Amino acid sequence: MNEQIVSILYKRINGTTLTYEEELLLEGWMADSPRNRELYEEVMDPAKLKSEIQEMLGYDSRGLWKKIMRELPSKKNKVIPLYRRAMFRYVAAAIVVAAIGAGVYFYMNNKNPGTTMSTVEPATAKPSGDMAPGMEKAVLILADGTKIILDNSANGEIARQGGTVVLKEDGLLAYNTKQQAQGGKVLYNTIQTGRAEQFSSLVLSDGSKIWLNSVSSIRFPTAFSGDERVVEVTGEVYFEVAKNIAKPFRVITKGMSVEVLGTQFNVNAYDDEALVRTTLIEGSVRVNNNNKVMVMQPGQQALMIPQGALTIRNDIDTREAIAWKNGIFLFPKSDMKTIMRQVSRWYGVDVVFEDAIPGYFVATLPRNVPVSKLLTMFEMAGGVHFEIDEAKRVITVRQ
C-alpha cells in the first residue's frame, strides 16, 4: 500500500471530499486486487473494524506481529497464495491501524473534539518490560510554599487562602471566593504536573476551567482583583475562560501574551518545542509579542519563535491541538522526534535515538494504553524499532 493510497483512504475516513484524480486512483487500487477491495470495505465499516481492532489489541501485539510476519509469503515468491481469512483480518486491521492512522477506530468515534475517549478500556495491568500511561495527578503550591498532592484523595476543604476557600469535590478543584478584602494582599497559588501526569479539574475563582497536560504549570491569584485577570503558564494548558467584558483574561507565557474576554483556546509552550503555539477553538483573542498585536479567529493558530517573530496560521486542524485533553494522541503528519517528545512526557521516560528515522507518521491513538502497544503500532507501519528498558525508564529508537 503506497503512501498516496494511505493518504486518500485517510481523507475518505475523515469525510474529506476527494478530487477527481484521487477518486480515479482509489478505484484503480481497488480494481487491482480483491484483497484491496476487501481491505477498503473493512476500513469503511466502523463496527466491523472496531471488533477486529479490539480483538487484535487483546493479543500480545508484538507476538501477533511476529506470527503475521512468519505466515506472510517470502518476497522471493513470485506467486502469492491467498491468506487464510482469519489471518487476513488481522493483517487488514494492522495495516489500517498502523498505516492509515494507527487507530482508525478511535478516530472515527471521536470526530467531535468536545467528546472524551471512552471507547477504549483503561489498562488494568501492564505487561512485563512495559510502562503504564500517565495519570490524573498534580502538585498544588500554596502562597506560603506548602505543597499538596492532588490525586484521588478525599473530598473536602483543602486550604484557605485569604478570603478564598480551596475545595475538592468529585475530583474537581475549585476556588470559591467568600470575601475579598479591598486593597488586601493578592495571594498566588501554582499547580504543577510532572512527567506521566495531567490535571483536568481546576476551576479558578472567576469560574474559568483549566486543563494541564504533562510537565505543565499555571500560576494564578486565589481571587482576581483589579482591571484584568492574569495567569502565567508553562508547558501545555487548555482554557475555557468565563466571560467578563469588564475584566479581560490574560495568559502570559515565554514572551507571548494572550488576551481574551471569554473563549476556549490551547497554549503549547514547552521548553523542548521550537515554537510557542496558541490555538483558538472558540471566541476571539489578541496575541501580543514585543508589542506586535494580532487578532485571532476560531480555527487559527498563533506561532511564535521564542523571543522572535509572531505569525498566524489558518491551515490547521484544531483537533490536533486539543487531542491530549480528549485522551488521544493525534499525529496528522509528524516525524518520529515530534512523536517521541509527547511519548516522553506522557509516559515519564527518556528517549534515545540511535538512528535518524526518516519520513513521517499519520496516527490517532488512545493515551490510556501501555507504551508497548503504542510503539508496536508505529513498528507495524515500518521503518522504526523500539527497545524498552523499564528499569531505567528509557526507550531506544532505531531504524
Side-chain angles (χ1 to χ4, degrees):
M1 183 185 293
N2 64 42
E3 186 177 293
Q4 193 170 21
I5 292 299
V6 169
S7 176
I8 292 171
L9 285 172
Y10 188 82
K11 289 175 69 174
R12 174 57 60 83
I13 292 166
N14 190 21
T16 305
T17 303
L18 302 183
T19 65
Y20 177 70
E21 290 79 7
E22 288 171 334
E23 290 280 6
L24 288 178
L25 282 171
L26 182 59
E27 287 296 330
W29 175 75
M30 287 191 289
D32 258 354
S33 162
R35 290 194 302 278
N36 290 353
R37 184 168 293 278
E38 188 175 357
L39 175 57
Y40 175 81
E41 290 171 356
E42 297 221 3
V43 170
M44 301 311 296
D45 184 345
K48 193 173 183 181
L49 190 60
K50 168 183 175 178
S51 173
E52 293 178 359
I53 291 177
Q54 284 181 328
E55 188 177 355
M56 184 184 73
L57 291 178
Y59 278 73
D60 170 9
S61 49
R62 290 176 183 269
L64 172 63
W65 184 242
K66 289 178 181 178
K67 181 179 179 182
I68 290 172
M69 294 308 294
R70 283 198 304 269
E71 298 206 18
L72 286 178
S74 168
K75 290 182 180 179
K76 296 178 181 179
N77 294 345
K78 293 183 179 180
V79 179
I80 301 177
L82 291 176
Y83 306 141
R84 288 176 296 163
R85 173 61 189 165
M87 181 55 65
F88 177 69
R89 290 210 325 271
Y90 288 122
V91 174
I95 291 173
V96 170
V97 171
I100 301 174
V104 172
Y105 160 63
F106 306 123
Y107 178 86
M108 294 176 74
N109 284 271
N110 289 278
K111 287 185 177 179
N112 180 357
T115 59
T116 304
M117 282 283 295
S118 59
T119 53
V120 180
E121 294 297 325
T124 55
K126 63 185 183 66
S128 176
D130 203 354
M131 283 168 275
M135 65 180 70
E136 185 78 2
K137 186 179 179 181
V139 175
L140 169 63
I141 305 174
L142 303 179
D144 63 0
T146 301
K147 295 183 178 181
I148 300 172
I149 302 298
L150 302 173
D151 49 20
N152 295 323
S153 57
N155 293 332
E157 182 177 315
I158 287 182
R160 288 181 178 265
Q161 298 284 273
T164 301
V165 178
V166 186
L167 294 172
K168 186 172 182 292
E169 295 179 358
D170 298 325
L172 194 69
L173 186 71
Y175 280 71
N176 296 333
T177 304
K178 303 299 182 183
Q179 57 182 12
Q180 180 70 14
Q182 294 296 322
K185 182 180 179 181
V186 178
L187 301 178
Y188 285 89
N189 282 187
T190 299
I191 291 182
Q192 296 177 342
T193 57
R195 296 204 302 179
E197 298 175 354
Q198 69 175 22
F199 193 72
S200 53
S201 312
L202 174 61
V203 180
L204 301 182
S205 61
D206 66 337
S208 295
K209 299 177 182 179
I210 312 295
W211 287 255
L212 281 80
N213 203 349
S214 303
V215 197
S216 302
S217 72
I218 179 168
R219 181 176 182 267
F220 54 94
T222 60
F224 292 105
S225 60
D227 298 330
E228 60 180 357
R229 299 166 286 170
V230 181
V231 301
E232 300 174 32
V233 304
T234 65
E236 186 163 28
V237 183
Y238 180 81
F239 294 85
E240 288 186 1
V241 176
K243 190 171 184 178
N244 186 340
I245 297 176
K247 188 176 289 191
F249 192 100
R250 191 154 60 92
V251 179
I252 298 174
T253 182
K254 292 178 68 174
M256 178 186 284
S257 173
V258 183
E259 183 180 327
V260 305
L261 298 176
T263 189
Q264 298 177 24
F265 62 100
N266 191 79
V267 175
N268 183 314
Y270 282 114
D271 288 337
D272 59 356
E273 298 289 350
L275 300 172
V276 177
R277 296 177 174 87
T278 297
T279 308
L280 183 59
I281 310 301
E282 181 181 299
S284 178
V285 304
R286 286 192 295 267
V287 290
N288 188 327
N289 168 242
N290 293 330
N291 296 320
K292 181 179 181 180
V293 180
M294 304 183 79
V295 177
M296 293 176 61
Q297 300 301 320
Q300 292 184 326
Q301 185 177 77
L303 299 173
M304 186 195 77
I305 301 172
Q307 308 304 321
L310 181 65
T311 61
I312 298 291
R313 276 187 58 189
N314 297 301
D315 57 335
I316 65 157
D317 184 347
T318 57
R319 291 171 299 184
E320 178 188 358
I322 63 173
W324 67 270
K325 169 183 169 287
N326 297 323
I328 305 169
F329 286 112
L330 200 163
F331 303 110
K333 188 176 180 181
S334 305
D335 60 54
M336 186 49 60
K337 286 194 173 182
T338 297
I339 291 168
M340 293 308 291
R341 284 197 296 271
Q342 291 197 36
V343 170
S344 173
R345 290 190 287 260
W346 182 233
Y347 290 91
V349 299
D350 293 324
V351 177
V352 176
F353 278 82
E354 287 199 351
D355 300 309
I357 308 300
Y360 62 87
F361 293 79
V362 176
T364 305
L365 284 163
R367 281 163 56 103
N368 64 348
V369 297
V371 73
S372 64
K373 288 194 180 294
L374 185 89
L375 299 181
T376 297
M377 295 300 177
F378 290 107
E379 287 187 344
M380 289 194 296
V384 64
H385 173 68
F386 305 93
E387 288 189 7
I388 301 171
D389 187 330
E390 183 182 13
K392 295 181 179 179
R393 298 197 69 81
V394 173
I395 295 174
T396 301
V397 186
R398 298 188 178 95
Q399 280 195 347

